[in-house]
Amino acid sequence: MQTMPAHAAHHNDREIETLEEFDATVSARGSLAGFRVQAVDLTDRTRELLTTDTAGAVFLGCPMREDAAVKIRTDGALVFPPIPGLPFDPYRGLVYSPDELFASLADGYEETPDARAYAWFQRTKEDGDIYASMLRAVHDDSVSDALDELLSGARVVGVMGGHAMRRGTAEYEGAARLGRELARAGFTVATGGGPGAMEAANLGAYAAPYDDDMLADALPLLAKAPGFAPSITEWATAAFEVRGRWPKGGRSIGIPTWFYGHEPPNPFASHIAKYFANATREDGLLARSNAGVVFLPGAAGTVQEIFDNATPNYYESRGEPTPMVLVDRAHWTEKLPAWPLLQSLARDRSMESRIVLVDGIEEAPEALKRIGG
């Protein structure tokens, strides 16, 4: 089974994103000149900062003592200090983990960093404050940078589907089996990171290292809280109970947004790249699905994703068209007839051989391999 590449091996070698990387760089090079240091607490590294060349370096949101900050500014470094009172770090060097976003869940979901960031977004997005919009943009760019580093070299399959799919249903189990099979086939599963079909696919990837009984046992535990309404706390707590019982789950990506902040991120994605700007999130999710996308039955959002994905395939603006697998013939030809339009668009173009419609979710992995070319 494929694992995502180790983070440190793939990021820009001028970026320092952990204290370990800081120490290793100072030790090996004796200089920080020209480096970018992101969101690393340097309060206990005053001696190193005072005695190391930092000319041309940039420090993004790094706590440090004032004498160290004065010295490195004198060296010619740029210092962007931490911003007090924010429920998120705009300069963060890594994507989120479920434990980070759901910290304090025991006190209720509204106390978690995820909920507090959404509340901040709600307060600031209406007033047109350039400062708040700048912070959101810096945060989202930092998350994109971290996501690119994380996925370097990975074969990513996107799984798209609606948030309304409930735990305890056959459809949810099918989406989980899909995620599990894709992960076992060596793909990195990426979803929109939310509840419903997205959670199910991330759950399947989480279950991939275990035997098949694990998923069969986990599904009833989750079904006790079938949806995120009326209580996100109960919904998320059920997921963390499963994670606690089977702690060594497989890796996958969730890419949610605070734009739809009433929908919580799901805790089964091992890495969560959460954005404020939904447009950045949507395009980023599809652009990174370099090994294809599976579209489960969904409503307006999933229809939008189908054609957001079809457009670069049509124009080949990202290179060779990537596979598109639509699941559930009746849904995509009768209820929401996106398939006939997609077929018409693809006719006589190179993407024509890269689109397929299948009846059932169990057919999707084989179809993806068949048209992956």
Side-chain angles (χ1 to χ4, degrees), residues 217-298:
D217 292 341
L219 290 168
L221 297 176
L222 293 170
K224 291 186 291 187
F228 65 92
S231 171
I232 295 175
T233 304
E234 289 180 14
W235 175 87
T237 299
F240 277 99
E241 284 174 7
V242 168
R243 284 171 46 101
R245 185 162 164 187
W246 294 278
K248 297 188 186 306
R251 290 150 68 95
S252 68
I253 304 292
I255 307 183
T257 173
W258 280 295
F259 183 80
Y260 297 129
H262 60 286
E263 292 180 16
N266 80 74
F268 291 110
S270 58
H271 297 79
I272 300 174
K274 191 154 190 176
Y275 289 92
F276 289 106
N278 186 48
T280 307
R281 168 256 193 167
E282 285 278 7
D283 186 63
L285 173 55
L286 293 166
R288 289 175 176 86
S289 297
N290 56 12
V293 183
V294 178
F295 297 91
L296 302 178

Side-chain angles (χ1 to χ4, degrees), residues 19 52 104 117 141 184 210 245 258 270 291-292 307 371:
L19 201 55
T52 304
S104 307
D141 198 57
R184 287 177 175 175
Y210 288 94
R245 185 162 164 187
W258 280 295
S270 58
F307 292 103
I371 64 175

Side-chain angles (χ1 to χ4, degrees), residues 12-323:
N12 182 317
D13 63 5
R14 307 299 286 180
E15 290 180 12
I16 294 173
E17 295 164 348
T18 67
L19 201 55
E20 292 74 21
E21 289 176 8
F22 178 88
D23 290 341
T25 302
V26 171
S27 173
R29 294 176 178 253
S31 172
L32 292 166
F35 276 80
R36 282 81 178 95
V37 189
Q38 268 180 276
V40 180
D41 188 340
L42 300 175
T43 310
D44 294 331
R45 295 296 185 273
T46 303
R47 182 176 59 81
E48 289 80 357
L49 291 172
L50 290 175
T51 57
T52 304
D53 180 17
T54 57
V58 179
F59 293 83
L60 299 164
C62 299
M64 65 181 72
R65 278 180 31 190
E66 184 57 30
D67 52 343
V70 169
K71 180 266 179 186
I72 63 178
R73 284 194 185 99
T74 305
D75 277 354
L78 278 174
V79 179
F80 293 79
I83 298 163
L86 280 184
F88 63 94
D89 181 357
Y91 303 119
R92 59 180 302 115
L94 306 173
V95 298
Y96 293 95
S97 70
D99 289 330
E100 184 180 1
L101 286 175
F102 284 100
S104 307
L105 181 64
D107 299 325
Y109 170 71
E110 62 280 358
E111 298 299 320
T112 64
D114 185 65
R116 289 190 286 113
Y118 178 52
W120 177 88
F121 183 35
Q122 292 289 93
R123 285 195 307 273
T124 60
K125 70 178 181 180
E126 300 299 335
D127 62 13
D129 179 10
I130 182 65
Y131 179 57
S133 63
M134 180 197 76
L135 293 175
R136 293 196 294 270
V138 170
H139 169 275
D140 285 2
D141 198 57
S142 298
V143 167
S144 288
D145 180 63
L147 187 58
D148 284 339
E149 292 163 2
L150 182 71
L151 292 178
S152 176
R155 295 162 64 220
V156 181
V157 172
V159 179
M160 310 296 156
H163 65 266
M165 185 185 287
R166 291 172 72 77
R167 296 167 173 174
T169 62
E171 291 78 12
Y172 184 94
E173 180 176 352
R177 288 176 179 273
L178 170 67
R180 185 175 66 182
E181 186 159 346
L182 290 172
R184 287 177 175 175
F187 296 109
T188 294
V189 172
T191 78
M198 297 172 278
E199 180 188 55
N202 287 127
L203 167 64
Y206 188 90
Y210 288 94
D211 63 26
D212 290 359
D213 290 342
M214 176 268 177
L215 187 58
D217 292 341
L219 290 168
L221 297 176
L222 293 170
K224 291 186 291 187
F228 65 92
S231 171
I232 295 175
T233 304
E234 289 180 14
W235 175 87
T237 299
F240 277 99
E241 284 174 7
V242 168
R243 284 171 46 101
R245 185 162 164 187
W246 294 278
K248 297 188 186 306
R251 290 150 68 95
S252 68
I253 304 292
I255 307 183
T257 173
W258 280 295
F259 183 80
Y260 297 129
H262 60 286
E263 292 180 16
N266 80 74
F268 291 110
S270 58
H271 297 79
I272 300 174
K274 191 154 190 176
Y275 289 92
F276 289 106
N278 186 48
T280 307
R281 168 256 193 167
E282 285 278 7
D283 186 63
L285 173 55
L286 293 166
R288 289 175 176 86
S289 297
N290 56 12
V293 183
V294 178
F295 297 91
L296 302 178
T302 311
V303 172
Q304 178 183 341
E305 287 162 345
I306 288 172
F307 292 103
D308 278 349
N309 198 46
T311 301
N313 282 345
Y314 181 89
Y315 290 112
E316 298 189 46
S317 55
R318 293 181 187 138
E320 282 281 307
T322 51

